[in-house]
Amino acid sequence: MPASIAYRGRFAPSPTGPLHFGSLVAALGSWLLARRADGEWLVRVEDLDPPREVPGAAQAQLQTLAAFGLHGDGPVLWQGTRGAAYLQALERLLDSGDAFVCHCSRTALARSGGIHRRCIAGARRPDPAIRLRVPAGTAIEFVDAIHGRMRQDVSSTVGDFVLRRADGLWAYQLAVVVDDAAQGVTDVARGADLLDSTPRQILLQRRLGLPTPRYAHLPLVLDEAGRKLSKSQAALPLDERAPLPALRVAWRVLGQNPGAVGAAGSPEVFLAAAIAAFEPARIPHAPVAFRAAMHNTTVALGD
Ligand code: GLU
């Protein structure tokens, strides 16, 4: 285990394409929270799903972060190298009876809305998945630094969830929990699209006897029609040659005072001014409209 530290955050992109504006909000937000706390900030490449990966995307993402002045402390952790650690965690869960081998197909589960509550497979498959058992009534509560008290009944909303897929790939939920603990991450700051994954991760931490970090879920950025950014213009790759305009918009999405960074002429100067002026309490919990943030008035799109 790494030496304990008061604050260690991380940014963990999946290399499925270039970093876009939504990723920048997560990167900048997590970086600012870490720097503001005098803590460390790590970068982890979540290369768990080779079929969905774009060749060269991981290196391009790291290069983009560097061009934006966001440098991690210490070496990048590549999840593709971490299979032995995930296997060890999985075996522990199988040994304790918390995980089980599951032969159910997606088609069979369609009848229960894709939620697995008990095995209903008639036939055994050569390539079963492994799931975490989530007994009825399993609810997880946590306090998010931005969203406040959250509660999810994991059994009724998610059911028994996959730890290792039928195709042999590791599930994000298991890998992220193992790596957050292995890297000594104390604070997870990431996009609010992952808010409903957090209860599953806390449940896994408890089953594995791992500590639970603090969580802060940063605002999602939506287009004018209220759609996820990835479907719109603003999901265009970040332009490494012009980091400042995107950094300024990301700063506004985070609810911060635009005047505080107005004069910056380089990412380094921008980031130094941003750390000094950053007010975490101003981070909005509602999604933010990209167009509004571009035009200097961050408008929350309802609650
Ligand atoms: N890899 C995930 C993503 O790119 C983020 C996972 C996390 O921060 O926990 O959306």
Side-chain angles (χ1 to χ4, degrees):
M1 284 295 280
S4 66
I5 177 170
Y7 191 113
R8 184 179 283 131
R10 84 319 187 260
F11 174 59
S14 304
T16 48
L19 289 184
H20 54 75
F21 184 72
S23 338
L24 179 63
V25 171
L28 179 65
S30 62
W31 185 90
L32 281 167
L33 286 162
R35 291 291 177 251
R36 183 59 185 225
D38 253 335
E40 292 178 1
W41 185 72
L42 306 176
V43 177
R44 178 197 305 150
V45 174
E46 299 210 322
D47 54 342
L48 279 178
D49 192 348
R52 286 192 56 227
E53 263 160 47
V54 174
Q59 285 302 345
Q61 290 181 336
L62 297 174
Q63 197 180 310
T64 302
L65 286 176
F68 278 69
L70 300 170
H71 303 284
D73 299 306
V76 171
L77 183 69
W78 295 75
Q79 287 196 321
T81 66
R82 299 274 301 148
Y86 307 148
L87 186 59
Q88 203 179 24
L90 187 73
E91 278 171 352
R92 184 170 168 171
L93 294 167
L94 283 166
D95 285 350
S96 62
D98 287 316
F100 61 96
V101 175
C102 172
H103 292 268
C104 297
S105 66
R106 208 171 286 187
T107 330
L109 293 177
R111 270 173 268 151
S112 54
I115 294 183
H116 188 286
R117 296 210 172 84
R118 60 188 177 85
C119 281
I120 50 172
R124 296 174 73 82
R125 327 165 32 146
D127 55 350
I130 298 180
R131 292 178 182 269
L132 187 82
R133 197 181 305 284
V134 184
T138 305
I140 296 287
E141 264 191 36
F142 68 102
V143 178
D144 182 89
I146 297 164
H147 295 257
R149 188 167 297 280
M150 308 294 293
R151 183 177 189 280
Q152 185 188 64
D153 182 328
V154 186
S155 45
S156 60
T157 47
V158 180
D160 303 322
F161 59 89
V162 172
L163 302 173
R164 195 173 69 191
R165 293 166 21 176
D167 57 11
L169 295 180
W170 295 105
Y172 155 70
Q173 308 292 355
L174 178 69
V176 73
V177 161
V178 169
D179 287 339
D180 281 337
Q183 293 190 284
V185 169
T186 63
D187 289 80
V188 172
R190 59 185 176 194
D193 51 333
L194 290 163
L195 204 42
D196 68 352
S197 282
T198 303
R200 260 170 282 178
Q201 294 171 18
I202 294 175
L203 183 58
L204 265 176
Q205 287 151 5
R206 292 185 187 165
R207 297 286 188 258
L208 286 164
L210 299 173
T212 291
R214 291 174 289 247
Y215 288 95
H217 287 84
L218 301 165
L220 286 184
V221 188
L222 303 180
D223 68 13
E224 309 81 76
R227 283 181 306 237
K228 255 187 85 173
L229 206 51
S230 53
K231 299 275 182 297
S232 76
Q233 285 291 90
L236 289 174
L238 293 170
D239 183 354
E240 283 173 21
R241 291 158 308 174
L244 280 171
L247 281 169
R248 288 208 170 87
V249 182
W251 175 251
R252 289 201 288 268
V253 167
L254 292 169
Q256 305 300 307
N257 170 19
V261 293
S266 72
E268 287 67 31
V269 174
F270 174 97
L271 292 170
I275 298 173
F278 185 48
E279 294 176 65
R282 292 178 62 141
I283 301 175
H285 65 271
V288 171
F290 180 72
R291 174 86 61 95
M294 285 268 286
H295 293 98
N296 214 353
T297 46
T298 18
V299 171
L301 292 176
D303 272 359

